[in-house]
Amino acid sequence: MAGSTMYAVKAALLPLLQANSTLSSIQCSYGDPGEAQRRESIFMGDVNSNVHTPEALASGRRRRLEDYTLDIEVFVQSKAAGQQEGEQRALVLANAVEDVLADYPTLDDGVTGLLFVECSGMSMHTAEAGIDGPRIQVTVHTTVKARLG
């Protein structure tokens, strides 16, 4: 019985993002690339509010419904572009992530028990990074629902 689909969802989503025509030239990684991060980057972020609800009350191991949010982080930093242009570019990339989620709600059936993934919202943070130009972060909040066991 699987304890969670967190790893499998991230692993199945990554190649779908990399194959998207808008994102094919963008650094897409399983986790935070740290110091290796490029000026345009997308990676799987935090998993929040992982809740397991039993489908029925019974003794022993039982089937559960898993519900959590996976944050997909989109970063853009550009010397040439100002904050407005940087935000616009970050949202183009975030919208491409949303398109992948809409086109593959079951991640091409690559995760056992997955019911669906969907974009549940976005948030944006913009900061000036000195000589490197503005740094924009858009977080694509992704709802994941699965059946375990």
Side-chain angles (χ1 to χ4, degrees), residues 19-47:
N20 178 274
S21 61
T22 302
L23 304 177
S24 62
S25 64
I26 305 301
Q27 178 187 34
C28 293
S29 59
Y30 182 84
D32 187 341
E35 294 298 318
Q37 185 170 324
R38 297 185 192 148
R39 294 205 173 272
E40 294 186 341
S41 177
I42 296 172
F43 65 87
M44 308 298 159
D46 293 337
V47 173

Side-chain angles (χ1 to χ4, degrees), residues 49-81:
S49 304
N50 189 338
V51 176
H52 292 192
T53 306
E55 280 193 313
L57 291 176
S59 60
R61 300 288 276 179
R62 56 187 175 233
R63 289 171 57 119
R64 297 165 289 150
L65 297 175
E66 182 178 41
D67 184 357
Y68 59 90
T69 300
L70 167 63
D71 289 337
I72 302 170
E73 305 294 348
V74 177
F75 284 93
V76 171
Q77 186 167 14
S78 175
K79 291 180 185 179

